[in-house]
Amino acid sequence: MVYLDNAATTYPKPREVYRKWQTAMSVYGANPGRSGYAFSERTSEAVYKSREECAELFGADSENTVFTLNCTHALNFAIKGIARNKCKFVVSDMEHNAVMRPAYAAARAVGGECAMFSATEDVEQTVYNAERAIDGNTVAVICTAASNVFGLRAPIREIFEMCKRKHVCFIVDAAQGAGVLPITLDDANIICAAGHKGLYGPMGTGLLVSDGNYPLETIIEGGTGSVSESIFQPDFPPDRFESGTINTAGAIALGEGVKFVKRRTPKAILNHELALCERVCGGLGRINGITLYNRITPENRESYAPVVSFNFEGVPSSEGARILSSRGFYLRGGLHCAPAAHKKLGTIDGGTIRFSPSAFTTAQEVELFLRSVRQIAAGL
């Protein structure tokens, strides 16, 4: 088996993440923050240490680092939490449905609107396009750090500087960036991240990280273990956004995944994965019967995250992925929950097959993959 669908979920995880999760399940079994006895306090301390690890990665304060179920959960908190009457959201044309659906739903609920701007390889043009979409009703610009379909990176720091001049909140969907791109609160007011992708944590984990400059309304209320005498939700994070029992084992194991990323460094992980993508793009580009939708090269690698989209000519992406799966190569075909990006690519009708490596993918696995693609294409 060669797993190459790491843009969906990284696999395998570092050994220490598995060990930490097992330890959390067997040792930290009490409810954190809910009781005064030693067992609960030990669990609370383990969760807090993990929160500190995650906060440090993004240059945040630990109290402004909230554990969520996934990146989609975090984005819903951020987008719906900042919505105001008749407000406007501005989104890029590369966004995942985790941004598009809550943004359009939130706008509709308050009688507002959404506007879309075009992201390009030209940084100045992209910032200009985003700025043109902003008006007096705009409460937030929301942009992915990198497309999950064709890997194009957005100039998030430059967009953030523009948003600060406009006094508009900037929210980054870091699902495809956290752990490989140097994303911190120098790049956004709010960062939403998936724990199970580039941070190498378990599924069912995510993060909402904020600089605290834009208070958010809640979309879920309930027990938090704090100010329990009040009928109202706490007004301080992280308690305000962590109603009910969190995924304790997942949160603790996520901290171990973040420690792995820090040790190896996002820069080293990115360089490793981009080198593999360059090899794949070069190999696919020489195979007759393959359509390649983005080409990562040594000259343009600064513009891309490690994602490559391609198709077998005349074959639906889902069928191409099935054929590869029958040979032991696991890649995802389809729209990847990002129809706007496929409209941009011109692949909305059939989608693409997506190659996405991880820190553990090897050059040998890539060569085996290219050999198999070459054989399949020759037989079609």
Side-chain angles (χ1 to χ4, degrees):
M1 181 188 86
V2 178
Y3 181 81
L4 298 170
D5 192 21
N6 293 279
T9 294
T10 48
Y11 178 85
K13 309 297 183 184
R15 285 193 298 271
E16 51 267 42
V17 172
Y18 295 124
R19 286 196 293 266
K20 183 63 84 169
W21 188 87
Q22 290 174 326
T23 299
M25 289 296 291
S26 58
V27 176
Y28 301 115
N31 205 311
R34 297 300 199 275
S35 304
Y37 51 81
F39 192 14
S40 174
E41 289 174 354
R42 285 198 302 270
T43 305
S44 296
E45 179 64 20
V47 170
Y48 181 72
K49 287 180 179 178
S50 179
R51 197 187 303 277
E52 284 189 314
E53 290 287 351
C54 296
E56 184 182 58
L57 180 67
F58 295 102
D61 294 329
S62 57
E63 62 266 26
N64 285 326
T65 303
V66 176
F67 289 118
T68 62
L69 296 176
N70 45 52
C71 190
T72 299
H73 191 204
L75 284 162
N76 272 265
F77 267 129
I79 294 167
K80 294 175 181 177
I82 203 169
R84 302 291 183 267
N85 187 44
K86 296 184 178 180
C87 70
K88 181 179 182 179
F89 294 106
V90 173
V91 301
S92 88
D93 61 354
M94 301 192 298
E95 300 308 310
H96 190 279
N97 279 338
V99 168
M100 291 297 196
R101 288 176 174 173
Y104 276 85
R108 182 172 57 187
V110 298
E113 64 173 321
C114 278
M116 192 182 302
F117 70 91
S118 176
T120 74
E121 289 190 10
D122 186 316
V123 170
E124 291 184 3
Q125 184 64 52
T126 300
V127 176
Y128 173 75
N129 293 344
E131 185 170 7
R132 284 190 62 195
I134 295 173
D135 63 21
N137 293 323
T138 304
V139 294
V141 174
I142 312 155
C143 186
T144 184
S147 168
N148 72 314
V149 177
F150 56 101
L152 182 65
R153 291 169 60 172
I156 56 174
R157 182 161 295 190
E158 291 83 356
I159 295 175
F160 185 35
E161 291 302 316
M162 179 271 293
C163 285
K164 285 192 286 189
R165 294 195 303 271
K166 295 285 187 177
H167 305 289
V168 171
C169 180
F170 184 44
I171 301 169
V172 167
D173 172 7
Q176 296 302 322
V180 290
L181 304 181
I183 302 170
T184 70
L185 288 176
D186 289 331
D187 303 300
N189 298 112
I190 299 173
I191 299 168
C192 300
H196 62 103
K197 298 189 183 188
L199 299 182
Y200 290 87
M203 295 183 195
T205 60
L207 293 167
L208 172 68
V209 182
S210 170
D211 62 10
N213 290 329
Y214 289 90
L216 303 175
E217 296 298 322
T218 57
I219 60 172
I220 297 174
E221 296 79 36
T224 59
S226 58
V227 293
S228 295
E229 72 282 2
S230 175
I231 198 169
F232 298 107
Q233 191 76 356
D235 60 1
F236 52 88
D239 299 41
R240 182 169 175 78
F241 305 106
E242 290 183 357
S243 295
T245 302
I246 65 167
N247 177 3
T248 303
I252 293 170
L254 173 57
E256 202 64 31
V258 169
K259 286 168 69 174
F260 164 80
V261 169
K262 289 178 182 176
R263 285 194 302 271
R264 190 160 295 196
T265 76
K267 182 178 180 180
I269 294 172
L270 177 64
N271 286 337
H272 169 74
E273 294 180 8
L274 283 177
L276 296 177
C277 287
E278 288 174 21
R279 187 182 293 235
V280 163
C281 287
L284 292 178
R286 292 189 293 270
I287 299 174
N288 291 330
I290 292 295
T291 301
L292 189 57
Y293 296 100
N294 63 313
R295 292 178 182 269
I296 299 176
T297 68
E299 290 73 32
N300 70 6
R301 63 179 358 236
E302 295 296 322
S303 298
Y304 284 91
V307 176
V308 177
S309 266
F310 71 98
N311 273 324
F312 294 99
E313 290 179 5
V315 178
S317 64
S318 56
E319 176 62 14
R322 187 198 64 76
I323 296 171
L324 284 165
S325 176
S326 70
R327 290 172 171 248
F329 297 93
Y330 298 153
L331 294 81
R332 182 177 174 183
L335 296 181
H336 315 292
C337 300
H342 282 283
K343 288 178 182 176
K344 188 181 184 73
L345 269 183
T347 54
I348 188 63
D349 290 335
T352 61
I353 302 170
R354 183 179 64 188
F355 168 91
S356 51
S358 83
F360 299 110
T361 307
T362 67
Q364 182 183 21
E365 288 174 327
V366 167
E367 289 306 315
L368 290 172
F369 164 70
L370 288 171
R371 185 187 307 167
S372 191
V373 170
R374 194 174 297 111
Q375 292 168 351
I376 294 168
L380 292 174

